[in-house]
């Protein structure tokens, strides 16, 4: 185990030395335009083989042929706002304390876009940004604060599918199409006439599942909606029905996730396959929006001067591991797409080194020739995709950290990805058992081999602790959750019982409201 790890680390260093010697310097004086398109909930494994066989994604395929695809790119936190906080700030979640969808970055935080603006880029952002504090539903934050309470309540709607329109219905997600249209207009009318380089950010909601209307306005997204037009892009015979562990064999945190996500009931194979097919169809619709942006750059003659980057905040489990949605370190949830094409990027290039969203900040600054500020968690990917060490001398370390502190998981979760290993540890590293998966032998992550490789766990845990003192971070989140909940409860005064009973868990809560309130009191009085 230890030798293998040392070998991985050595290989990482050797790869870098090669990369630096092999390619010619990128001498373009013209700073490229930069377009960053970020979707929501897109499973990165669909962007290369064999995952790309299940659904037609012509523009992602185009980006892969014309540029570089990362085969192991990860979110730094598998939920919307904390993930985006890491991407925009270039810092790990524990450094910005972006603990949940409600607590993320301060609006005054310096983003990479702000740096580009200061260095002479014309900057423009449109669509879903979602990286500052104070948003998302009350249910969402209360569920995050109370994750340590000893109760189990269903918080999400059961995942369902919804077929709309017909074989000519392309525009299902109207809001995203409006954003896409606006981006295209901006490129055709504003970008073409600029004298300085531009940086455009486009944020989409798809393929995030839609709110389930019947569950009221605060419901999460549990409806996978598409039209026959997009469903026709899915190769139904390639849609797998994932293997599940028996409930009694599940890791305790995974079981908590399954239950709170309303997935502990029975699902037929047909239901599971449909949810997956509809999700892939939603990915195809997303790809088409990416395509509109790429086409408008090509039509205006800007494409050959523009670096295009496509990624997502997290993935979706789409019924793998008896779950949908994200909030998990399993591949479906944590593995994101990352494709880069444009001037200086090698074509048809695949990079297997693990990278993550915090690497986007230094990468974009490298593209723009802007010096790197201190304190960033990520590393520029430019040496990996072009072979040119621009401003950043420090090579990518070849490991990735992802962490999660929000709802639907009842312990702070830390994931370290290096070589063939994925190591997941929880809370203080003692009270909840760790997980270790060998992704080269067990890509479905059904065999936790932590007890078989204690030395590998020890090595990876030691490496993880050099990056983050995770037991004390978990402790800080415990304190934050309790203090926030208490403040919220005190502000509600006499209406507390009524408000807490009517959050997204209301169906289960009303079965035994008093006992659940008692569970909360016990938690508040506890010593932690």
């Amino acid at each position: 185990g230890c030798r293998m790890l040392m070998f991985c680390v050595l290989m990482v260093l050797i790869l870098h030395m090669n990369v630096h010697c092999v390619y010619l310097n990128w001498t373009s004086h013209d700073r490229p335009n930069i377009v960053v398109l970020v979707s929501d909930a897109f499973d990165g494994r669909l962007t290369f083989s064999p995952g790309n066989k299940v659904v037609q994604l012509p523009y992602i395929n185009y980006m892969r042929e014309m540029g570089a695809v990362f085969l192991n790119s990860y979110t730094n936190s598998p939920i919307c706002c904390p993930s985006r906080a890491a991407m925009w700030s270039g810092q790990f979640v524990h450094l910005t304390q972006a603990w949940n969808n409600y607590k993320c970055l301060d609006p005054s935080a310096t983003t990479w876009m702000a740096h580009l603006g200061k260095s002479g880029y014309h900057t423009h952002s449109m669509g879903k940004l979602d990286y500052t504090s104070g948003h998302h539903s009350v249910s969402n934050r209360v569920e995050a604060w109370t994750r340590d309470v000893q109760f189990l309540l269903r918080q999400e709607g059961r995942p369902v599918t919804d077929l709309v329109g017909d074989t000519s219905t392309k525009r299902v997600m109207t809001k995203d199409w409006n954003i896409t249209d606006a981006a295209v207009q901006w490129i055709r009318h504003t970008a073409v006439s600029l004298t300085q380089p531009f940086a455009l950010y486009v944020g989409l909601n798809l393929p995030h599942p839609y709110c389930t209307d019947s569950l009221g306005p605060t419901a999460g997204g549990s409806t996978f909606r598409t039209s026959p037009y997009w469903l026709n892009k899915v190769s139904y015979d390639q849609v797998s029905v994932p293997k599940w562990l028996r409930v009694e064999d599940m890791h305790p945190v995974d079981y908590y996730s399954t239950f709170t996500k309303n997935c502990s009931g029975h699902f037929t194979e047909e239901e599971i396959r449909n949810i997956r097919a509809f999700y892939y169809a939603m990915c195809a619709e997303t790809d088409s929006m990416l395509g509109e942006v790429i086409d408008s750059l090509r039509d205006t003659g800007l494409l050959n001067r523009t670096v295009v980057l496509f990624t997502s905040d997290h993935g979706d489990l789409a019924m793998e591991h008896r779950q949908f949605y994200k909030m998990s370190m399993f591949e479906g949830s944590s593995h994101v797409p990352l494709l880069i094409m444009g001037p200086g990027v090698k074509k048809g290039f695949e990079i297997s080194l693990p990278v993550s969203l915090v690497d986007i900040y230094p990468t974009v600054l490298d593209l723009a020739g802007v010096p790197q500020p201190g304190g960033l968690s990520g590393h520029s990917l430019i040496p990996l995709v072009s072979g040119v060490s621009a401003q950043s001398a420090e090579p990518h370390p070849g490991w990735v950290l992802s962490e999660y502190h929000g709802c639907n998981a009842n312990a702070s979760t830390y994931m370290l990805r290096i070589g063939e290993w994925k190591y997941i540890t929880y809370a203080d590293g003692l009270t909840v058992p760790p997980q270790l998966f060998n992704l080269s032998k067990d890509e479905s992550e059904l065999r936790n081999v932590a007890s078989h490789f204690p030395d590998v766990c020890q090595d990876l845990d030691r490496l993880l602790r050099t990056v983050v003192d995770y037991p004390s971070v978990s402790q800080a989140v415990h304190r934050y959750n309790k203090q926030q909940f208490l403040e919220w409860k005190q502000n509600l005064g006499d209406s507390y019982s009524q408000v807490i009973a009517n959050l997204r868990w209301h169906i289960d809560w009303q079965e035994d409201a008093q006992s659940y309130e008692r569970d909360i009191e016990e938690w508040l009085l506890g010593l932690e």
Side-chain angles (χ1 to χ4, degrees):
C2 186
R3 278 208 307 278
M4 188 63 216
L5 267 184
M6 284 313 297
F7 176 70
C8 284
V9 173
L10 261 173
M11 278 310 292
V12 165
L13 294 174
I14 291 165
L15 274 173
H16 275 284
M17 281 156 46
N18 283 351
V19 159
H20 287 274
C21 320
V22 178
Y23 308 124
L24 298 167
N25 269 358
W26 182 6
T27 52
S28 164
H29 318 293
D30 296 334
R31 300 196 293 171
N33 304 310
I34 299 167
V35 174
V36 175
L37 192 138
V38 178
S39 78
D40 200 310
F42 200 113
D43 181 347
R45 299 169 304 170
L46 300 174
T47 61
F48 50 84
S49 182
N52 62 348
K53 306 241 191 319
V54 75
V55 57
Q56 294 168 31
L57 303 170
Y59 286 94
I60 282 170
N61 290 343
Y62 175 75
M63 282 193 73
R64 197 172 62 239
E65 285 160 25
M66 299 304 288
V69 61
F70 288 84
L71 305 178
N72 290 294
S73 46
Y74 289 87
T75 178
N76 299 107
S77 189
I79 195 167
C80 305
C81 202
S83 168
R84 290 159 194 275
M87 183 198 64
W88 281 106
S89 69
Q91 292 189 303
F92 290 136
V93 160
H94 63 271
L95 298 176
T96 60
Q97 303 187 342
W99 303 139
N100 56 52
N101 264 346
Y102 178 61
K103 186 180 186 313
C104 285
L105 293 189
D106 200 85
S108 64
T110 307
T111 64
W112 46 263
M113 197 59 111
H115 278 291
L116 293 185
K118 283 197 206 96
S119 84
Y121 268 73
H122 181 104
T123 62
H124 191 60
S125 294
M126 51 212 320
K128 185 168 187 171
L129 290 165
D130 194 23
Y131 63 88
T132 54
S133 293
H135 308 288
H136 290 267
S137 69
V138 175
S139 278
N140 208 241
R141 60 195 82 146
V142 176
E143 290 156 12
W145 297 333
T146 57
R147 63 178 197 171
D148 298 318
V149 181
Q150 294 298 303
F151 55 43
L152 258 185
L153 299 159
R154 289 171 299 173
Q155 296 166 3
E156 306 290 347
R158 179 183 165 99
V160 293
T161 57
D162 180 29
L163 191 63
V164 297
D166 56 34
T167 50
S168 63
T169 307
K170 287 188 186 177
R171 297 193 162 215
V172 180
M173 179 34 158
T174 318
K175 188 176 168 187
D176 278 354
W177 280 109
N178 292 342
I179 292 163
T180 305
D181 290 346
V184 166
Q185 289 303 316
W186 188 85
I187 290 165
R188 290 188 193 280
H189 297 132
T190 305
V192 283
S193 53
L194 292 171
T195 51
Q196 78 230 75
F198 68 85
L200 171 65
Y201 169 87
V202 183
L204 302 175
N205 293 280
L206 271 183
H208 190 295
Y210 296 79
C211 288
T212 302
D213 300 331
S214 59
L215 299 176
T218 64
S222 54
T223 295
F224 292 84
R225 178 177 297 137
T226 195
S227 70
Y229 178 86
W230 297 115
L231 213 47
N232 283 339
K233 310 288 181 197
V234 178
S235 304
Y236 211 79
D237 56 332
Q238 298 283 321
V239 179
S240 62
V241 174
K243 194 165 177 278
W244 289 349
L245 294 176
R246 296 181 312 168
V247 168
E248 55 269 34
D249 295 332
M250 289 175 78
H251 187 275
V253 177
D254 294 331
Y255 179 71
Y256 177 90
S257 299
T258 289
F259 193 96
T260 55
K261 289 174 178 177
N262 207 345
C263 288
S264 54
H266 176 68
F267 287 83
T268 65
E269 278 204 3
E270 189 189 9
E271 262 182 296
I272 294 165
R273 189 171 265 133
N274 276 342
I275 288 168
R276 290 170 74 69
F278 275 59
Y279 170 67
Y280 298 142
M282 291 159 72
C283 292
E285 188 177 357
T286 313
D287 177 82
S288 180
M289 296 172 185
L290 169 67
E292 296 281 318
V293 173
I294 291 173
D295 284 347
S296 65
L297 290 167
R298 192 192 295 112
D299 295 348
T300 50
L302 291 166
L303 192 58
N304 59 358
R305 284 180 286 150
T306 304
V307 172
V308 181
L309 187 153
F310 172 70
T311 189
S312 179
D313 59 349
H314 50 74
D316 195 296
L317 289 160
M319 300 314 289
E320 291 177 11
H321 303 281
R322 205 186 291 263
Q323 294 178 44
F324 76 112
Y325 241 15
K326 53 274 182 171
M327 303 115 164
S328 160
M329 294 303 171
F330 286 129
E331 289 289 287
S333 160
S334 65
H335 195 139
V336 296
L338 181 57
L339 298 106
I340 306 178
M341 70 173 186
V345 179
K346 283 177 68 75
K347 292 183 177 183
F349 201 42
E350 296 192 339
I351 297 128
S352 54
L353 194 75
V355 299
S356 68
L357 293 180
V358 287
D359 297 327
I360 288 177
Y361 194 123
T363 301
V364 167
L365 295 196
D366 245 5
L367 284 170
V370 176
Q372 307 284 340
L376 294 182
S377 303
H379 293 75
S380 172
L381 303 174
I382 297 305
L384 291 174
V385 297
S386 70
V388 181
S389 175
Q391 252 93 42
S392 63
E394 200 184 336
H396 199 290
W399 53 259
V400 159
L401 166 70
S402 192
E403 52 189 299
Y404 185 67
H405 310 282
C407 56
N408 299 96
N410 57 347
S412 280
T413 308
Y414 306 85
M415 183 268 275
L416 190 73
R417 178 82 179 79
I418 183 171
E420 75 257 61
W421 299 110
K422 179 187 283 187
Y423 174 65
I424 306 169
T425 184
Y426 298 88
D428 55 4
L430 301 166
T431 46
V432 182
Q435 287 167 297
L436 180 70
F437 298 104
N438 183 328
L439 293 186
S440 64
K441 296 191 173 122
D442 173 30
E443 59 185 28
S444 305
E445 300 172 294
L446 293 168
R447 289 197 303 279
N448 174 12
V449 294
S451 57
H452 302 279
F453 295 98
D455 54 336
V456 174
C457 287
Q458 210 174 348
D459 288 345
L460 293 179
D461 199 75
R462 201 176 296 133
L463 175 56
L464 177 61
R465 286 171 195 254
T466 64
V467 184
V468 54
D469 173 9
Y470 71 84
S472 59
V473 171
S474 301
Q475 215 32 59
V477 180
H478 278 303
R479 284 194 298 272
Y480 157 83
N481 283 342
K482 205 170 268 197
Q483 170 235 328
Q484 288 289 307
F485 183 86
L486 265 172
E487 261 177 53
W488 177 75
K489 180 176 189 272
Q490 280 154 358
N491 285 340
L492 285 173
D494 294 342
S495 62
Y496 163 73
S497 291
Q498 193 198 343
V499 172
I500 199 163
N502 285 292
L503 298 178
R504 294 195 304 191
W505 54 36
H506 62 97
I507 295 171
D508 287 356
W509 187 277
Q510 284 156 15
E511 302 273 295
D512 199 351
Q514 280 172 313
S515 103
Y516 295 132
E517 280 199 39
R518 254 196 325 274
D519 291 335
I520 286 183
E521 291 315 304
E522 276 174 31
W523 163 65
L524 290 173
L525 292 167
L527 296 173
E528 277 202 324

